[in-house]
Amino acid sequence: MEPTGFNGRIFREGGRLYTLSAAPGIRVYGERTPRTGGMEYREWDASRSKLAAYIANGGERVPIGIGSRVLYLGASSGTTASHVSDIASEGRVWCVESAPRMFRELVENCRSRPNMIPLLADATKPATYAFAVDGADVVYEDVAQKNQVDILADNMGAFGAKYGMVAVKARSEDVAESPRAVFARAEARLRERGLRITDARSLEPWEGSHEMIVVEGR
Ligand SMILES: C[S@@+](CC[C@H](N)C(=O)[O-])C[C@H]1O[C@@H](n2cnc3c(N)ncnc32)[C@H](O)[C@@H]1O
């Protein structure tokens, strides 16, 4: 296993990505969990995780460290969130999900990961989960609904986060417009909201018509 240089918790071997498992012996979605040097690693499949796709495509702005407090919007059953929980193993990952069926699976996946906290809530209404989140360093968003960048900016503001990442799905914003135009509008809107874009990168071929945008606040 070769460290990627991000923060000591993300590795590469034979062209595949891995996170160092924070819950050895537990698989979340049937991923391979090779052991070497007394450590267990979890394969992180770029075709199943937009954050892994971003890194596989050369993205180097992952503002998540071992002690980060991460607010994860659109956690679904927790596939990517579980890798974020490996990375921020000494921090916290609050996982917001609005669909009850996905939330039930998410709750199961949080059981073996004490730093992963499930919240059944609507990411467009940060005030409804503010009682549970005592401030975030990073907001990661993958909700695939309209107004994705405003949801990011609103949550960063509400929880005082300096960093943000959003996987913009072009079709969720406008099915008729070209993805390129949707991404340009999303980037312009983030700047209007006072955020500085530190990276913007297509997630092709892993995820069609998606772009990951990484931002920094003041
Ligand atoms: C593309 S999936 C997320 C996949 C997940 N991030 C992963 O990589 O494992 C989008 C998720 O966002 C959820 N979602 C959509 N709108 C939401 C909202 N307003 N608040 C919270 N979750 C939302 C959906 O129910 C769905 O589970």
Side-chain angles (χ1 to χ4, degrees), residues 44 48-51 72-82 96-100 102-103 119-125 129 140-146 151 169 207 210:
W44 197 8
R48 298 193 59 180
S49 167
K50 289 160 206 137
L51 184 51
Y72 191 122
L73 308 174
S76 191
S77 60
T79 302
T80 300
S82 67
V96 176
E97 173 53 50
S98 60
M102 299 324 298
F103 185 75
L119 296 168
L120 180 62
D122 178 350
T124 65
K125 300 187 172 87
Y129 45 90
Y140 178 89
E141 182 198 331
D142 180 19
V143 297
Q145 71 153 77
K146 223 173 160 51
I151 295 172
K169 180 177 182 179
E207 286 284 349
H210 276 74

Side-chain angles (χ1 to χ4, degrees), residues 177-186:
E177 207 172 6
S178 75
R180 188 189 289 246
V182 172
F183 300 145
R185 201 152 38 79

Side-chain angles (χ1 to χ4, degrees), residues 28-57:
V28 174
Y29 55 106
E31 69 277 20
R32 286 175 52 244
T33 54
R35 290 184 74 91
T36 168
M39 301 292 206
E40 187 171 297
Y41 299 81
R42 299 174 57 229
E43 187 174 351
W44 197 8
D45 185 345
S47 65
R48 298 193 59 180
S49 167
K50 289 160 206 137
L51 184 51
Y54 168 74
I55 297 169
N57 281 0

